[in-house]
């Protein structure tokens, strides 16, 4: 046994290609010998030496692999081989050699064996089995990741030698790569360094292998969220436009990867127009609307993003239904318009945190490697994938300050590489005839320009001398001329976004060196003759003037920017612009807006908008220009800022005036002339007012008060205006229409009444929100009849501040007959049943509705997601009117005394049952809300601590177990953040009692007194709701401890030590 080695007869028999029987018998003999403990380790070591024979043996090594896999399945054997033989690194060497041999075969042969790669797959599987052990994986993470990554990339390139085994091995390596690259931040950064080193191993002309590595780096720095491979799309025409739109999309449902269905929604629109032969709409982006999930979608949005962020959250995995229709055919649209899809995070992202992993790139030379790779791509059409992923990775890296500072170092030579990349991108797009789209919907040219802007913007903060040295590496005046000559390119002219991006870049490249700045100014000087432009101009001259305005507006406010602006002044360009306006403008006779013919003619001059934009760019952050413009034309600009014209002269003049306000002395002149205009307007307005007052028998006295001079008007003193609640259609309320039912537009949806209910099928209920927009029930019905082409609730949406609604909650006014109110309530219940499939003839669902609404407050959740509107004030005011419905049912069914007894029984429930009742539908929160309807303010003050105790025990119980419990398993007080929602809920109910219902009489029947109060005190309820919301936002929510909350709620007189009180309470619970 001690003489066994890889050259022994046993090795020959194990891999004998001539006899399967001998291989099986030999493997069986070795397996039986290994059952003897003291021989097992010796045999495993021997077999490990034979692993190098597996690739050449191929399928003849199957018995050997089966035997070896069985022997090393025990963790102790794996540890022995790791320590004694360094087995994983030896297998890694064998795998690397075999892959290298495959690559040689790929280059030298034209055929392959179908069993090619069998041994390689077996070896990779053995490595995988070793790495399933956590300890081994942690130790060999960094040692193996390079081999695995290099092996995976090499196998991806195989074409001739690709077999099913090679495919399987490639998938195994990818799985191993996933395992090896997940871990701590330090381990991930080390993996990124290995990726950069691996890129350096590949020939610079290899445009395929580095793509995977750079994509991997991108996903490591910023993981893609909710990536989807494919989904279904259904394209339907609007049923109401069936007779107006020809054709039908007969291929429903479509796969999202089908040609014409992406990447943008505009492509979907074009496919619809093509397939349905709607040729007139093909090039018209304003003629057709696409709706997803009842929302109008901008055509600039990616289809995948619309699916993920608009459709999928509401419809899960159903095919995305896109409805197309003609815009404006049946009136104005009432649906919401989605123009952009922001991140799910509400708060603005902190780039330094989000992209922090990219900080390793300067340390491992990643930025230099990326620039080198970008510089080697000469054909942007063939290297499209590599270019796009490099631009994406550069974008991620430049989010960090450390990378931006690295990119402006002279030895990196970033701008020279980027300039070459820019010219290649322009050349590629011009050859293809269209913009080559990069990530985020930008062309490659725009993306390169954007990256250059970021780097140059960072460099612009350097001291003037350092920046001058930096710009010397940004190309000379000849290269600047080449870039300026791109303005004449037909391709650039046909792509305004590309042209504007280039012009934003030029000021950065020109600033710093005198010859480049002079080249820039001299290139545009011939096109800046403003008088000739007015008399006659070509499209070419207009383009150059537009470009110069963009360039001037892009000059940075630093020392080098001031040098360039001074050169523009020295070339008399600023003085020509000032003289054009100061000399050519009509004489200012009055500062008020007039329609005189001479001013109309002046503002219609073609060059005037460009002159104003040029002056605005020059004056931005440049004191010399500000003074020169301020001295010459303040009155003219003030006159222009009040004028409207086709060229937006008024807005341009106003923008220039605001820019001039950066200078204190000029600002005083502007304020003075604006004050004069304001005084003159006021004087003229007062004169007109007096004239109109006189015509209706009124005048203004010396105190400024309007008094009646006509006897006829004096007799109309008894006429009063509406106050309080009014209809949004007829603008009348209870004063002029006392018997009409006012109703609230509400939006109600079906929800689970109690999420912590222990039953698998939870009891459904209602949740209602409102924008507090009121309408007479009669007016609503009339509006619906008049808008017959629209659905009832589409029409109602217009009256409800464009917020969704599906119900009309009636208010029982002081003089509204009960029959009218009951009829409106029945109609409202019908609306709710149609919208939710729930029938609510009792008050229970209404109480739960209020409970869910107050829990929204307690958990600081927005109301806009439910119905698209309504804030805290409107939804707080909704509560008493919902409570009125419950009171009405209780009184009509005469169940007040029975329900009060039930409430009393709840308050007296022994502590032994508190935990169990925490999961009930009608639990502590439900009884807390119904107490508003049954108990007076005095009774509430006596019992309120019991409710608070029940709420705190309930939240503690639910945290410990979500499936139900009868005992409190942990009686340790938790942090205040756990109890805060329940404390806030209790505080809101207490505030409703003490603020909203404080004036309700406590003597007599509380239910009837409360209903009467709500019916007759709309203004008081509105004011009280505002106070409650203010108390909630300014006092309740900021509390950070139980003691602070008790102080705000005024409970410290009853509970001296809140923390001790809570601890004692929990100890009392079984």
């Amino acid at each position: 046994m001690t003489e066994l080695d890889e050259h022994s007869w046993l090795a020959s028999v194990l891999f004998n290609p001539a006899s399967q029987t001998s291989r099986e018998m030999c493997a069986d003999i070795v397996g039986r010998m290994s059952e003897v403990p003291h021989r097992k380790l010796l045999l495993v070591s021997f077999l490990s030496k034979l692993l190098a024979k597996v690739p050449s043996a191929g399928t003849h090594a199957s018995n050997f692999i089966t035997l070896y896999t069985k022997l090393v399945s025990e963790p102790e054997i794996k540890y022995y081989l790791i320590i004694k033989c360094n087995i994983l690194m030896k297998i890694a060497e064998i795998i690397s050699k075999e892959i290298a041999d495959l690559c040689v075969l790929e280059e030298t042969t034209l055929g392959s064996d179908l069993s090619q790669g069998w041994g390689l797959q077996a070896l990779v599987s053995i490595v995988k089995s070793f790495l399933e052990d956590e300890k081994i994986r942690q130790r060999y993470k960094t040692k193996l990741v390079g081999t695995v990554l290099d092996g995976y990339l090499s196998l991806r390139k195989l074409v001739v030698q690709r077999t099913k085994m090679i495919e399987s091995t490639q998938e195994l390596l990818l799985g191993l790569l996933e395992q090896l690259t997940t871990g701590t931040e330090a381990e991930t950064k080390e993996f990124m360094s290995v990726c950069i080193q691996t890129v350096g191993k590949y020939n610079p002309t290899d445009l395929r292998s580095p793509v995977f590595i750079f994509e991997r780096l991108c996903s490591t720095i910023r993981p893609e969220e909710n990536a989807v491979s494919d989904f279904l799309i259904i394209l339907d025409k609007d049923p109401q436009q069936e007779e107006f739109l020809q054709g039908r999309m007969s291929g429903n449902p479509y796969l999202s990867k089908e040609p014409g269905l992406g990447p943008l929604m505009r492509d979907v629109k074009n496919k619809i127009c093509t397939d349905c032969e709607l040729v007139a709409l093909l090039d018209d982006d304003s003629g057709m609307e696409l709706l997803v999930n009842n929302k109008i979608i901008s055509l600039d949005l990616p289809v995948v993003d619309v699916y993920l962020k608009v459709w999928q959250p509401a419809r899960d995995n159903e095919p995305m239904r896109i409805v197309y229709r003609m815009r404006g055919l049946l009136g104005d649209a009432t649906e919401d318009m989605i123009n952009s899809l922001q991140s799910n995070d509400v708060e603005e992202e902190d780039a330094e945190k989000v992209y922090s992993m990219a900080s390793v790139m300067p340390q491992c030379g990643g930025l230099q490697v990326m620039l080198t790779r970008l510089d080697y791509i000469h054909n942007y059409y063939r290297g499209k994938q590599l270019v796009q992923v490099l631009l994406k990775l550069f974008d991620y890296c430049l989010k960090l300050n450390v990378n931006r500072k690295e990119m402006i170092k002279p030895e990196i030579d970033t701008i020279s590489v980027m300039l070459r990349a820019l010219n290649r991108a322009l050349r590629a797009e011009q050859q293809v005839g269209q913009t080559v789209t990069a990530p985020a919907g930008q062309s490659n040219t725009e993306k390169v320009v954007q990256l250059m802007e970021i780097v140059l913007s960072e460099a612009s903060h350097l001291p003037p001398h350092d920046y001058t040295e930096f710009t010397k590496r940004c190309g000379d005046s000849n290269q600047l001329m080449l870039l300026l000559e791109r303005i004449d390119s037909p391709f650039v002219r046909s792509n305004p976004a590309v042209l504007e991006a280039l012009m934003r870049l030029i000021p950065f490249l020109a600033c710093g060196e005198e010859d480049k700045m002079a080249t820039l100014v001299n290139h545009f000087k011939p096109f800046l003759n403003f008088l000739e432009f007015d008399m006659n101009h070509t499209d070419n001259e207009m383009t150059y003037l537009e470009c110069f305005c963009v360039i001037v507006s892009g000059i940075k406010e630093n020392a080098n920017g001031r040098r360039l602006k001074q050169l523009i002044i020295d070339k008399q360009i600023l003085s020509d612009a000032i003289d054009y306006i100061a000399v050519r403008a009509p004489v200012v006779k009055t500062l008020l807006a007039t329609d005189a013919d001479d001013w109309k003619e002046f503002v219609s001059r073609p060059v005037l908008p460009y002159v104003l934009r040029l002056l605005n760019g020059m004056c931005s952050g440049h004191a010399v220009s500000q003074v020169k413009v301020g001295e010459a034309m303040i009155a003219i600009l003030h006159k222009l800022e009040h004028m409207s014209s086709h060229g937006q002269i008024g807005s341009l003049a106003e923008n220039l005036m605001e820019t001039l306000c950066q200078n204190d002395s000029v600002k005083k002149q502007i304020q003075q002339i604006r004050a004069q205009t304001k005084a003159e307007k006021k004087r003229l307005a007062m004169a007109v007012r007096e004239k109109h007052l006189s015509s209706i028998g009124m005048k203004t006295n010396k105190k400024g008060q309007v008094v009646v001079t006509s006897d006829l008007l004096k007799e109309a003193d008894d006429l009063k205006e509406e106050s309080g609640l009014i209809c949004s259609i007829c603008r009348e309320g209870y004063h002029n229409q006392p018997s009409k039912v006012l109703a609230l537009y509400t939006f109600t949806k079906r929800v689970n009444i109690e999420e912590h209910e222990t039953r698998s099928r939870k009891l459904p209920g209602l949740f209602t929100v409102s924008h507090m927009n009121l309408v007479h029930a009669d007016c609503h019905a009339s509006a619906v009849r008049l808008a017959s082409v629209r659905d009832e609730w589409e029409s109602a949406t217009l009256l409800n501040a464009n917020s969704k609604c599906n119900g009309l909650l009636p208010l029982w006014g002081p003089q509204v007959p009960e029959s009218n109110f009951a009829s409106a309530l029945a109609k409202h219940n019908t609306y709710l049943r149609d919208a939710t499939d729930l029938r609510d003839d009792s008050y229970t669902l209404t109480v739960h509705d209020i409970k869910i609404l107050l829990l929204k407050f307690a958990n600081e959740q927005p109301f806009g997601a439910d119905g698209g509107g309504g804030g805290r004030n409107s939804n707080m005011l909704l509560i008493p009117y919902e409570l009125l419905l419950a009171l009405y049912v209780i009184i009509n069914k005469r169940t007040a005394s029975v329900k009060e007894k039930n409430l009393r029984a709840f308050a007296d429930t022994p502590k032994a049952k508190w935990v169990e009742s925490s999961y009930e539908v009608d639990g502590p929160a439900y009884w807390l809300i119904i107490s508003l309807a049954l108990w007076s303010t005095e009774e509430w003050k006596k019992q309120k601590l019991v409710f608070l105790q029940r709420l705190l025990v309930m939240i503690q119980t639910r945290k410990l177990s979500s499936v139900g419990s009868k005992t409190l398993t942990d009686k340790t007080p938790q942090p205040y953040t756990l109890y805060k929602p329940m404390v806030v809920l209790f505080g809101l109910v207490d505030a409703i009692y003490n603020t909203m219902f404080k004036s309700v009489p406590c003597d007599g029947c509380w239910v009837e007194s409360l209903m009467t109060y709500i019916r007759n005190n709309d203004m008081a309820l509105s004011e009280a709701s505002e106070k409650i919301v203010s108390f909630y936002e300014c006092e309740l929510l900021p509390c950070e401890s139980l003691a602070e909350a008790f102080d705000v709620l005024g409970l410290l007189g009853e509970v001296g030590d809140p923390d001790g009180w809570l601890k004692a309470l929990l100890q009392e619970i079984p």
Side-chain angles (χ1 to χ4, degrees):
M1 292 291 292
T2 56
E3 297 177 359
L4 290 176
D5 59 31
E6 60 267 31
H7 303 295
S8 67
W9 65 270
L10 189 59
S12 301
V13 176
L14 278 171
F15 295 102
N16 181 11
S19 173
Q20 179 178 353
T21 304
S22 64
R23 294 197 302 270
E24 291 176 351
M25 292 180 62
C26 187
D28 185 57
I29 292 171
V30 174
R32 292 181 181 276
M33 292 172 62
S34 65
E35 293 176 0
V36 181
H38 70 275
R39 292 179 179 175
K40 188 171 187 176
L41 295 179
L42 184 62
L43 286 170
V44 169
S45 299
F46 163 66
L47 294 176
S48 298
K49 296 176 183 178
L50 302 181
L51 288 172
K53 296 179 178 293
V54 172
S56 58
T59 56
H60 299 140
S62 59
N63 299 104
F64 169 81
I65 291 297
T66 303
L67 173 63
Y68 189 81
T69 304
K70 180 180 178 182
L71 292 178
V72 301
S73 59
E74 300 176 12
E76 294 77 9
I77 301 297
K78 291 180 180 178
Y79 298 153
Y80 168 78
L81 291 175
I82 290 290
I83 298 171
K84 187 74 174 178
C85 308
N86 195 18
I87 187 65
L88 282 181
M89 299 311 298
K90 290 183 178 179
I91 298 177
E93 291 177 8
I94 299 171
I95 291 173
S96 298
K97 182 178 181 303
E98 177 64 10
I99 292 176
D101 292 343
L102 286 172
C103 292
V104 172
L105 289 174
E106 177 77 14
E107 299 294 333
T108 57
T109 63
L110 296 177
S112 66
D113 185 356
L114 291 178
S115 63
Q116 186 78 272
W118 189 96
L120 185 61
Q121 181 191 20
L123 292 173
V124 174
S125 297
I126 292 173
V127 173
K128 181 175 182 290
S129 69
F130 272 84
L131 292 179
E132 287 173 352
D133 188 289
E134 179 67 24
K135 296 179 181 178
I136 298 175
R137 185 167 66 251
Q138 289 298 326
R139 180 174 179 179
Y140 280 88
K141 253 186 178 183
T142 55
K143 296 179 181 179
L144 289 176
V145 68
T147 302
V148 174
L149 177 61
D150 191 42
Y152 173 75
L153 294 174
S154 298
L155 292 183
R156 286 184 75 200
K157 294 190 295 183
L158 298 182
V159 178
V160 177
Q161 300 299 320
R162 182 166 293 278
T163 63
K164 186 176 181 180
M165 297 298 177
I166 297 294
E167 288 279 0
S168 178
T169 305
Q170 183 177 315
E171 292 177 5
L172 284 173
L173 288 173
L174 182 59
L176 287 178
L177 193 61
E178 294 287 347
Q179 288 184 352
L180 297 175
T181 56
T182 55
T184 64
E185 182 175 329
E187 291 172 340
T188 305
K189 288 185 177 180
E190 192 165 347
F191 163 69
M192 295 173 67
S193 300
V194 171
C195 288
I196 295 299
Q197 295 169 13
T198 305
V199 172
K201 297 178 183 179
Y202 292 97
N203 192 303
T205 58
D206 186 349
L207 302 180
R208 184 181 178 192
S209 298
V211 172
F212 173 80
I213 299 179
F214 289 130
E215 285 177 345
R216 191 78 184 184
L217 289 172
C218 288
S219 63
T220 301
I221 295 171
R222 182 72 191 274
E224 297 289 343
E225 57 178 34
N226 299 329
V228 291
S229 57
D230 206 355
F231 54 92
L232 296 175
I233 297 175
I234 296 176
L235 303 175
D236 287 338
K237 70 173 69 173
D238 189 335
Q240 296 184 0
Q241 297 189 7
E242 186 77 33
E243 56 190 62
F244 301 103
L245 291 174
Q246 66 183 21
R248 187 175 297 278
M249 301 302 292
S250 57
N252 286 323
Y254 296 87
L255 281 173
S256 60
K257 290 185 177 179
E258 287 190 25
L261 290 177
L264 301 179
M265 294 295 290
R266 179 176 289 103
D267 299 307
V268 177
K269 187 268 295 183
N270 290 339
K271 179 176 177 60
I272 294 170
C273 294
T274 302
D275 291 3
C276 296
E277 298 182 356
L278 301 171
V279 183
L281 299 175
L282 193 59
D283 297 323
D284 182 8
D285 286 347
S286 62
M288 178 178 285
E289 290 177 334
L290 300 183
L291 289 85
V292 175
N293 202 19
N294 205 32
K295 291 179 172 59
I296 303 172
I297 306 298
S298 169
L299 298 180
D300 294 322
L301 296 179
V303 178
V304 174
D305 288 353
V306 173
Y307 175 75
L308 290 174
K309 297 183 179 181
V310 179
W311 179 260
Q312 199 176 45
R315 305 299 178 94
D316 200 12
N317 294 322
E318 296 179 21
M320 180 168 70
R321 183 170 181 263
I322 301 178
V323 177
Y324 60 93
R325 70 186 185 193
M326 293 279 289
R327 176 174 294 172
L329 187 62
L330 299 177
D332 295 334
T334 60
E335 298 85 359
D336 294 336
M337 177 78 179
I338 297 180
N339 292 307
S340 62
L341 295 172
Q342 302 297 333
S343 173
N344 292 332
D345 298 332
V346 178
E347 297 183 3
E348 186 177 352
E349 294 179 323
D350 183 354
E352 291 291 334
K353 291 181 180 179
V354 174
Y355 300 92
S356 61
M357 296 303 299
S359 60
V360 74
M361 299 302 281
Q363 303 166 15
C364 64
L367 297 174
Q368 185 66 66
V369 170
M370 291 161 60
L371 285 170
T372 303
R373 281 285 163 180
L374 184 63
D375 207 23
Y376 268 104
I377 307 173
H378 297 288
N379 188 327
Y380 273 32
Y381 185 74
R382 287 184 57 239
K384 175 182 176 181
Q385 284 186 307
L386 184 55
V387 171
Q388 291 183 355
V389 72
L390 276 171
L391 295 179
K392 182 179 181 180
L393 185 55
F394 271 121
D395 185 36
Y396 287 177
C397 291
L398 289 176
K399 302 289 186 183
L400 300 187
N401 186 48
V402 62
N403 290 333
R404 293 195 295 271
K405 292 189 179 299
E406 182 73 14
M407 294 282 276
I408 63 176
K409 289 182 178 179
E411 59 269 22
I412 298 291
D413 200 21
T414 301
I415 299 303
S416 297
V417 175
M418 291 285 188
L419 277 173
R420 290 192 287 272
L422 177 60
N423 283 316
R424 291 165 186 164
L426 284 167
R427 190 184 311 120
E429 291 171 352
Q430 189 164 354
Q431 289 172 352
V432 176
Q434 61 183 5
T435 56
V436 182
T437 304
Q442 295 176 304
S443 70
N444 285 337
T445 299
E446 290 177 89
K447 196 63 184 176
V448 173
V449 171
Q450 179 183 329
L451 296 174
M452 292 179 70
E453 278 188 272
I454 296 172
V455 176
L456 290 167
S457 179
E458 183 69 27
S460 67
H461 295 97
L462 293 170
H465 178 268
D466 294 343
Y467 185 72
T468 302
E469 292 298 317
F470 174 83
T471 55
K472 290 179 180 178
R473 293 179 174 269
C474 300
D476 55 17
S477 56
N478 292 329
Q479 288 177 301
L480 179 63
M481 277 300 301
L482 287 175
L483 203 57
L484 290 171
E485 289 171 357
R486 290 286 184 184
I487 299 175
D488 297 322
S489 164
F491 168 75
V492 174
R493 287 283 183 93
S494 63
N495 291 273
V498 174
L499 178 60
E500 185 176 350
L502 288 175
M503 294 307 103
R504 291 198 311 269
L505 182 64
I506 286 174
F508 290 105
L509 298 175
C511 287
E513 294 187 78
E514 296 293 339
D515 59 335
K516 288 197 286 187
M517 291 192 293
T519 298
L520 171 64
V521 177
N522 291 333
H523 184 75
F524 284 96
K525 178 67 174 172
F527 301 95
L528 301 178
N529 191 321
F530 305 125
L531 294 178
E532 288 186 6
F533 189 93
D534 267 347
M535 291 184 288
N536 186 27
H537 63 271
T538 64
D539 290 342
N540 184 56
E541 291 170 337
M542 184 183 297
T543 301
Y544 268 88
L545 193 52
E546 171 70 25
C547 290
F548 191 70
C549 290
V550 175
I551 290 173
V552 173
S553 64
I555 300 175
K556 288 293 181 180
E557 299 176 11
N558 53 33
N560 291 294
R562 289 190 289 273
R563 288 171 59 194
L564 178 55
K565 287 187 176 180
Q566 186 58 50
L567 180 61
I568 294 174
I569 293 174
D570 295 341
K571 294 289 185 177
Q572 302 299 315
I573 295 175
L574 179 65
S575 59
D576 288 348
I578 294 174
D579 290 344
Y580 174 83
I581 292 180
V583 175
R584 299 298 182 278
V587 177
V588 180
K589 299 177 181 178
T590 174
L591 296 176
L592 299 178
T594 58
D595 294 328
D597 293 339
D598 52 353
W599 281 101
K600 285 184 178 180
E601 186 275 332
F602 179 66
V603 299
S604 64
R605 294 194 175 196
V607 82
L608 184 58
Y610 297 104
V611 174
L612 291 172
R613 289 171 58 193
L614 174 61
L615 291 174
N616 193 21
M618 286 295 296
C619 292
S620 180
H622 194 238
V624 175
S625 299
Q626 292 166 359
V627 172
K628 288 181 177 291
V629 174
E631 290 175 348
M633 48 195 296
I634 292 295
I636 299 173
L637 291 176
H638 179 61
K639 182 79 172 179
L640 290 175
E641 71 175 336
H642 291 99
M643 302 187 72
S644 59
S645 67
H646 179 69
Q648 298 182 334
I649 299 299
S651 299
L652 294 173
E654 185 178 2
N655 292 340
L656 178 54
M657 292 280 275
E658 293 302 320
T659 302
L660 291 172
C661 287
Q662 296 173 2
N663 187 292
D664 292 338
S665 61
V666 180
K667 182 178 181 180
K668 290 180 180 178
Q669 300 178 46
I670 293 173
Q671 290 175 338
Q672 182 178 3
I673 199 168
R674 283 177 172 173
Q676 293 175 8
T677 304
K678 185 177 180 180
E680 180 65 13
K681 285 182 178 180
K682 183 177 180 180
R683 185 188 65 79
L684 293 176
M686 291 300 294
V688 173
R689 181 172 182 246
E690 287 295 331
K691 181 179 179 181
H692 285 299
L693 286 174
S694 176
S695 64
I696 60 175
M698 296 182 178
K699 69 175 182 179
T700 306
N701 61 20
K702 294 181 179 180
K703 296 181 179 180
Q705 300 170 328
V706 177
V707 295
V708 176
T709 58
S710 171
D711 294 336
L712 181 62
L713 288 177
K714 290 179 181 179
E715 296 175 0
D717 287 341
D718 58 331
L719 294 177
K720 296 181 180 179
E721 293 185 1
E722 287 282 2
S723 60
L725 306 179
I726 60 173
C727 173
S728 59
I729 296 179
C730 68
R731 312 306 296 173
E732 293 184 345
Y734 291 136
H735 179 75
N736 293 317
Q737 299 288 350
S739 62
K740 281 190 176 182
V741 177
L742 275 172
L744 284 170
Y745 279 125
T746 59
F747 177 76
T748 304
K749 68 176 185 178
R750 184 180 177 130
V751 296
N752 292 331
I753 288 180
E754 181 53 71
E755 293 294 341
H756 293 84
E757 187 181 358
T758 53
R759 293 191 301 178
S760 58
R761 187 173 182 180
K762 295 179 170 54
L763 195 65
L766 307 175
F767 172 54
T768 304
V769 292
S770 175
H771 225 302
M772 286 308 294
N773 289 314
L774 294 105
V775 65
H776 283 124
D778 295 345
C779 294
H780 169 79
S782 300
V784 170
R785 283 195 301 271
L786 290 173
S788 57
V789 295
R790 293 197 190 100
D791 176 75
E792 176 178 4
W793 298 113
E794 287 184 7
S795 300
T797 298
L798 296 173
L799 301 171
N800 194 34
N802 284 325
S803 299
K804 289 190 293 185
C805 53
N806 55 16
L808 273 175
L809 190 148
L811 310 186
W812 194 0
Q815 300 179 47
V816 174
E818 182 177 355
S819 58
N820 292 2
F821 171 74
S823 175
L825 180 58
K827 186 67 173 175
H828 176 64
N829 289 334
T830 302
Y831 288 142
L832 296 188
R833 185 173 63 253
D834 293 343
T836 65
D837 292 330
L838 288 177
R839 184 179 183 88
D840 182 22
D841 292 330
S842 68
Y843 66 91
T844 307
L845 289 185
T846 304
V847 175
H848 280 294
D849 194 345
I850 299 172
K851 177 197 73 176
I852 297 170
L853 181 59
L854 283 174
L855 283 173
K856 281 274 187 181
F857 279 94
N859 290 290
E860 300 180 60
Q861 296 174 342
F863 303 97
D866 300 295
R872 289 172 174 173
N873 283 324
S874 60
N875 284 293
M876 181 58 70
L877 184 54
L878 173 65
I879 291 172
Y881 297 116
E882 279 206 281
L883 191 61
L884 177 67
L885 302 186
L887 293 169
Y888 180 73
V889 175
I890 291 172
I891 291 174
N892 275 1
K893 292 190 176 183
R894 299 173 180 170
T895 58
S897 59
V898 176
K899 301 305 176 185
E900 201 277 335
K901 288 179 182 178
N902 294 342
L903 178 60
R904 184 76 59 184
F906 168 80
D908 296 336
T909 303
K911 289 184 172 64
K913 296 184 178 180
W914 283 15
V915 172
E916 186 177 359
S917 66
S918 297
Y919 301 93
E920 294 177 356
V921 173
D922 295 343
Y926 167 80
W927 290 106
L928 174 71
I929 303 305
I930 202 173
S931 67
L932 288 167
L934 300 175
W935 276 354
S936 67
T937 307
E938 296 298 327
E939 188 64 26
W940 163 254
K941 290 178 181 178
K942 297 176 186 177
Q943 301 289 346
K944 64 180 181 180
L945 272 182
V946 175
F947 284 99
L948 181 56
Q949 290 175 329
R950 294 294 298 269
L951 291 172
L952 297 179
V953 171
M954 179 184 73
I955 199 68
Q956 177 100 351
T957 302
R958 290 178 176 179
K959 178 183 183 298
L960 298 176
S961 175
S962 60
V963 295
S965 176
K966 293 185 178 181
T967 59
L968 194 62
T969 56
D970 185 359
K971 300 182 180 183
T972 305
Q974 302 298 312
Y976 175 68
T977 51
L978 173 67
Y979 305 113
K980 183 175 180 179
M982 294 301 104
V983 173
V984 173
L985 176 63
F986 170 83
L988 288 173
V989 173
D990 190 52
I992 291 172
Y993 265 115
N994 297 329
T995 305
M996 190 174 285
F997 298 160
K998 68 177 181 179
S999 301
V1000 180
C1002 294
D1003 53 337
C1005 178
W1006 170 261
V1007 179
E1008 294 182 358
S1009 299
L1010 181 58
M1011 186 172 70
T1012 302
Y1013 181 81
I1014 294 174
R1015 289 184 60 191
N1016 291 275
N1017 292 276
D1018 294 325
M1019 294 297 292
L1021 293 175
S1022 178
E1023 293 172 2
S1025 67
E1026 293 179 6
K1027 292 179 181 178
I1028 293 173
V1029 171
S1030 176
F1031 167 74
Y1032 160 78
E1033 293 175 340
C1034 302
E1035 298 188 48
L1036 263 184
L1037 290 184
C1039 293
E1040 296 180 355
S1041 67
L1042 195 62
E1044 188 178 353
F1046 272 46
D1047 184 23
V1048 168
L1049 294 171
L1051 297 176
L1052 290 182
E1054 301 176 56
V1055 181
D1057 179 13
D1059 294 326
W1061 174 81
L1062 175 61
K1063 185 176 181 181
L1065 170 65
L1066 296 178
Q1067 292 298 324
E1068 293 174 3
I1069 305 300

